[in-house]
Amino acid sequence: MFDDIKQEATEKLIKVKLYLSGIDSGISRLALVSDEFQNSLKGLFFVYLYGIFEMTVIKTIRRTIDELNSADVRISECKRELLSLILSPEYDALHGVGENKKWPRRWDISRKLIDNEKLDIVENLIPTDGRNIKKDQLESIYKSFGNSNPVFPRPEIQGYLDELVRYRNYIAHGDMLPQEIGRNYTVADLEKRRGSIDELCTYIIDSYESYIVNQEYLV
């Protein structure tokens, strides 16, 4: 059900491992690669790894929504937390409307609940504030689905994710150069971080696959 997402994430994370091996190989041949270039490659690791992590989360959530929409269940059968997703278009329609439109928009919500329609969640909906994905954004996603699993498989992984997002943003926004960040890490340091994000990606995929397979979305 989610195997293709897991396989894609695994393949991309293996390529990150090879990327790090290439840097390590370059370091062992000092005459061929400058320190500055090696440090730049180590800094860009954070951009590379975050992109894979974000892709994995988004594809997992979109697959979960697709499976929910295909589950042939009605609103009344689902956890109440899912209403934040089910009624997302109606909630959005309430924002910024004039006084003459507020009550008709509220009636639309009541009508949808009364009619007890089958699930039809917007496919590309990602229930976060739109910022880079860290603890708060993962918690927002889990709460919106009524997924009661912990957000992280191990508490210390949160620190690695915070660091990943921080340095990815520093580079993307021009606050720091890749080599400024990369010079503070060995290849072994980065491999430890790659392994932790690999663990987190697998955990998130497994968590939502279990959510669907075990019908944890039902009341």
Side-chain angles (χ1 to χ4, degrees):
M1 188 180 295
F2 286 66
D3 286 349
D4 59 322
I5 300 174
K6 189 179 293 185
Q7 181 177 348
E8 182 179 4
T10 298
E11 289 174 354
K12 288 181 181 293
L13 286 160
I14 288 172
K15 289 179 180 178
V16 177
K17 190 177 184 71
L18 294 173
Y19 174 85
L20 292 175
S21 296
I23 299 173
D24 204 19
S25 177
I27 290 171
S28 68
R29 298 192 301 271
L30 295 177
L32 300 181
V33 184
S34 71
D35 289 344
E36 196 76 351
F37 184 65
Q38 292 163 8
N39 289 333
S40 293
L41 292 175
K42 287 189 286 183
L44 289 170
F45 159 87
F46 291 95
V47 179
Y48 190 2
L49 187 60
Y50 177 76
I52 295 170
F53 170 71
E54 184 178 77
M55 174 214 73
T56 300
V57 172
I58 290 173
K59 287 194 173 186
T60 299
I61 295 313
R62 287 182 176 168
R63 178 64 53 79
T64 302
I65 290 174
D66 183 58
E67 293 294 335
L68 286 171
N69 287 340
S70 302
D72 195 27
V73 297
R74 297 189 177 273
I75 294 173
S76 64
E77 300 175 79
C78 296
K79 288 182 173 179
R80 296 297 172 256
E81 292 90 337
L82 272 171
L83 289 176
S84 63
L85 301 179
I86 296 166
L87 298 173
S88 181
E90 288 76 14
Y91 290 149
D92 288 344
L94 280 170
H95 180 70
V97 300
E99 289 295 330
N100 61 324
K101 296 281 185 69
K102 284 185 177 179
W103 283 103
R105 293 288 182 266
R106 295 176 185 180
W107 297 334
D108 288 341
I109 293 174
S110 298
R111 188 178 303 112
K112 194 167 188 175
L113 295 175
I114 291 168
D115 291 346
N116 195 26
E117 299 176 0
K118 290 183 179 179
L119 291 193
D120 186 19
I121 300 170
V122 177
E123 292 181 0
N124 62 353
L125 185 62
I126 303 294
T128 72
D129 57 9
R131 298 182 180 182
N132 292 126
I133 300 170
K134 297 194 292 183
K135 180 185 177 184
D136 288 349
Q137 288 70 34
L138 289 175
E139 286 181 339
S140 177
I141 294 169
Y142 275 66
K143 287 178 181 177
S144 297
F145 282 93
N147 187 337
S148 59
N149 290 306
V151 171
F152 296 103
R154 294 184 288 116
E156 55 268 33
I157 290 183
Q158 181 188 341
Y160 289 128
L161 180 58
D162 288 345
E163 177 190 59
L164 180 66
V165 173
R166 180 169 65 252
Y167 288 138
R168 178 267 174 200
N169 286 341
Y170 283 171
I171 293 171
H173 300 153
D175 297 320
M176 292 182 73
L177 295 173
Q179 57 265 38
E180 294 179 271
I181 296 168
R183 69 169 63 111
N184 297 314
Y185 294 90
T186 66
V187 171
D189 292 334
L190 299 180
E191 172 55 27
K192 184 175 182 180
R193 285 151 177 79
R194 187 206 66 83
S196 293
I197 298 302
D198 188 348
E199 181 182 350
L200 179 58
C201 287
T202 300
Y203 174 78
I204 290 171
I205 296 169
D206 288 344
S207 177
Y208 282 91
E209 184 170 40
S210 173
Y211 173 86
I212 292 296
V213 170
N214 297 321
Q215 298 184 318
E216 296 169 22
Y217 49 86
L218 297 179
V219 177

